[in-house]
Amino acid sequence: MRLATSNKTSNYTWSSFALSDKGKVRKHNEDSLLSRPEIGLWVVADGMGGHSAGDLASQMIINSLKELQLGGKLNDSINNIEDRLLEVNKRLLEKAQQTDNKTTIGSTVVVMLAYGKYCIYIWAGDSRIYRIRNRQIRQMSTDHSQVELYVEKGLISREEALSHPHGNMITRAVGAADELFLDMDIQELASKDRYLLCSDGLTKHVTDMEIQDILNEGTPEKSCRTLIDLTLERGAVDNVSVVVVDII
């Protein structure tokens, strides 16, 4: 899957590219992407619960935001996104109850919304958003994962977290619990910022410093392809999805 986009607002021009691959091990791609530059909205959703369930969960998130009409006040736009995700959470829980073994049907999600001079991030799970500013990388989201809790409590180091056996255990996802708690942050945009939204299929194989080096070179399309190619070279044990957005 690939999507190339560009658009202009009254404040900034942006250029973006999105790419997804099923990887080297999985038979199906449970990741889903959304690129809506006309309203400044990008989304990565990483499904879980098996092929049919993961596909369903991530695609339901994308479908719910695909037709979303934003405008007016910033708070209204944020509330509209949150309401859509909460509705998907409810529907996924209902579908899970209808299965024979009550399997969780869920998906992580990371959303980026460019609004005026601001950038809003909304997420649940371990799909991430990074920002390159002045050639330095910063992870703008915080993983909702078991190993992140261990790191915060000082039980393991950041380096130990990379190979910890609980690395795949997430603590939040759309469809995972009756109440969905979404995290959100807001930052001012700056010219020459570059953003990366990605599923954890990327960060299982590529370090933050490698991501920084790749994002500091070339176009959004080139960066996306280089990140995917490097992940595939290293085995790509999971689906991998990336979206790169340039603020100009």
Side-chain angles (χ1 to χ4, degrees), residues 22-23 37 41 47 51 58 90-91 108 123 127 132 139 161 171 176 191 208 223 235:
K22 68 181 179 63
L41 181 67
H51 163 47
S58 66
K90 178 182 176 181
R91 289 166 56 198
T108 70
W123 74 96
S127 291
I132 295 287
Q139 184 178 333
T171 56
S191 181
D208 284 8
S223 292

Side-chain angles (χ1 to χ4, degrees), residues 133-194:
R133 178 173 288 178
N134 298 324
R135 300 187 67 82
Q136 299 299 309
I137 194 169
R138 177 183 172 188
Q139 184 178 333
M140 308 305 289
S141 57
T142 301
D143 292 354
H144 298 136
S145 66
Q146 197 63 48
V147 293
E148 186 64 29
L149 292 176
Y150 295 158
V151 172
E152 290 176 358
K153 292 179 179 179
L155 299 176
I156 62 174
S157 68
R158 183 64 63 187
E159 291 71 25
E160 290 171 325
L162 296 175
S163 57
H164 197 278
H166 293 168
N168 288 330
M169 295 176 61
I170 59 174
T171 56
R172 291 192 213 177
V174 182
D178 290 342
E179 290 190 84
L180 171 63
F181 296 98
L182 296 161
D183 269 357
M184 187 191 76
D185 196 7
I186 182 169
Q187 301 282 334
E188 286 197 20
L189 293 165
S191 181
K192 299 184 180 179
D193 280 351
R194 173 169 281 189

Side-chain angles (χ1 to χ4, degrees), residues 5-147:
T5 58
S6 63
N7 198 14
K8 184 177 181 179
T9 68
S10 59
N11 295 280
Y12 292 97
T13 299
W14 56 65
S15 177
S16 64
F17 195 83
L19 193 62
S20 185
D21 194 285
K22 68 181 179 63
K24 293 287 190 178
V25 176
R26 301 289 180 90
K27 294 182 179 180
H28 307 281
N29 194 343
E30 297 176 41
D31 288 359
S32 298
L33 299 174
L34 179 64
S35 179
R36 295 191 61 194
E38 71 279 5
I39 60 171
L41 181 67
W42 298 268
V43 184
V44 170
D46 180 357
M48 61 186 194
H51 163 47
S52 58
D55 285 358
L56 173 66
S58 66
Q59 198 57 53
M60 278 178 63
I61 289 173
I62 298 307
N63 288 340
S64 73
L65 298 175
K66 187 181 295 183
E67 305 302 329
L68 189 63
Q69 298 302 314
L70 300 179
K73 296 180 180 179
L74 176 57
N75 283 345
D76 292 338
S77 295
I78 294 171
N79 289 337
N80 285 338
I81 293 171
E82 289 183 317
D83 288 346
R84 292 293 180 102
L85 294 176
L86 291 172
E87 177 61 25
V88 172
N89 188 73
K90 178 182 176 181
R91 289 166 56 198
L92 287 174
L93 289 171
E94 292 172 350
K95 287 184 177 294
Q97 287 299 313
Q98 296 169 5
T99 62
D100 293 336
N101 54 3
K102 306 297 189 293
T103 300
T104 297
I105 305 174
S107 176
T108 70
V109 64
V110 58
V111 178
M112 173 179 167
L113 173 65
Y115 185 100
K117 64 178 182 178
Y118 297 105
C119 185
I120 298 90
Y121 326 118
I122 302 170
W123 74 96
D126 58 0
S127 291
R128 296 178 178 178
I129 182 165
Y130 291 92
R131 184 187 71 194
I132 295 287
R133 178 173 288 178
N134 298 324
R135 300 187 67 82
Q136 299 299 309
I137 194 169
R138 177 183 172 188
Q139 184 178 333
M140 308 305 289
S141 57
T142 301
D143 292 354
H144 298 136
S145 66
Q146 197 63 48
V147 293

